[in-house]
């Protein structure tokens, strides 16, 4: 009798442990290909990050790049200038330099940012601390109300007087959970 009562939960626990172990030893997923392919004004290209993500690599199928006077020129197969790109860009009000280097007779351009802000600094500019605090306070109030309600129900089943103890405890736990929710 006792064996049947605990057999199903024990088998579920063993299954969950095996599943978690298999997942923990799985090979990491390959990152998706984020390069862009296209043709513009008769010039085929591929643009994407390099292996470590620190620079941008552009490879042309026809045409070539040239660096002239702080500007990167894109020329077609006939050598005619098609477009020009600056070697500095404005990011969040700050000028970030781009260090160009050419390879494969000008068909491959590697642009490396110089003095660029760290990713954490750029992400911090998008976070509104006042809105985050207001959201956390709202979640804490909702959590306190839910916790107080659960405490009241538990206190009712403890003879009614138990609510004097369970309501404040439930409200406190609910507020903590609500405030810590992102």
């Amino acid at each position: 009798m006792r064996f049947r009562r605990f057999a199903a939960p024990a088998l579920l626990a063993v299954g969950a442990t095996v599943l978690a172990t298999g997942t923990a030893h799985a090979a990491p997923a390959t990152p998706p290909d984020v390069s862009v392919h296209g043709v513009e004004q008769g010039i085929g290209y591929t643009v994407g990050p390099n292996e470590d993500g620190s620079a941008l690599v552009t490879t042309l199928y026809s045409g070539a790049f040239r660096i002239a006077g702080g500007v990167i020129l894109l020329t077609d197969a006939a050598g005619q200038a098609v477009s020009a790109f600056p070697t500095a860009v404005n990011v969040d009000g700050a000028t970030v330099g781009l260090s160009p280097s050419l390879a494969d007779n000008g068909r491959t351009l590697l642009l490396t940012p110089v003095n660029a802000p760290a990713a954490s600094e750029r992400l911090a500019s998008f976070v509104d601390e006042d809105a985050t605090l207001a959201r956390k306070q709202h979640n804490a109030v909702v959590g306190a109300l839910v916790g107080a309600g659960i405490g009241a129900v538990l206190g009712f089943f403890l003879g009614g007087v138990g609510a004097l103890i369970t309501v404040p405890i439930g409200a406190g736990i609910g507020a903590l959970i609500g405030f810590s929710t992102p």
Side-chain angles (χ1 to χ4, degrees):
M1 175 82 173
R2 256 187 109 112
F3 176 73
R4 288 183 187 163
R5 179 186 282 169
F6 296 108
L11 289 175
L12 288 174
V14 168
T17 304
V18 169
L19 182 62
T21 303
T23 303
H25 294 292
T30 57
D33 182 25
V34 293
S35 54
V36 177
H37 309 279
V39 176
E40 191 67 38
Q41 297 182 13
I43 301 173
Y45 62 89
T46 300
V47 179
N50 62 351
E51 293 82 24
D52 64 355
S54 64
L56 187 67
V57 179
T58 304
T59 303
L60 301 175
Y61 303 122
S62 62
F65 290 108
R66 286 190 324 216
I67 301 172
V71 176
I72 303 166
L73 296 174
L74 173 62
T75 59
D76 60 11
Q80 298 294 324
V82 175
S83 185
F85 306 98
T87 56
V89 292
N90 190 0
V91 178
D92 291 333
T95 302
V96 175
L98 299 173
S99 173
S101 63
L102 300 175
D104 192 26
N105 293 328
R107 291 189 183 260
T108 302
L109 171 68
L110 178 73
L111 287 176
T112 307
V114 178
N115 297 327
S120 60
E121 293 174 20
R122 290 191 311 257
L123 291 176
S125 68
F126 295 114
V127 176
D128 184 9
E129 291 180 16
D130 292 333
T132 301
L133 181 61
R135 185 181 69 249
K136 286 182 169 285
Q137 288 172 342
H138 172 75
N139 290 346
V141 169
V142 171
L145 290 173
V146 171
I150 292 171
V153 169
L154 290 175
F156 175 76
F157 288 116
L158 293 175
V161 179
L164 294 173
I165 296 171
T166 58
V167 169
I169 292 173
I173 292 172
L176 286 173
I177 291 172
F179 191 80
S180 64
T181 304

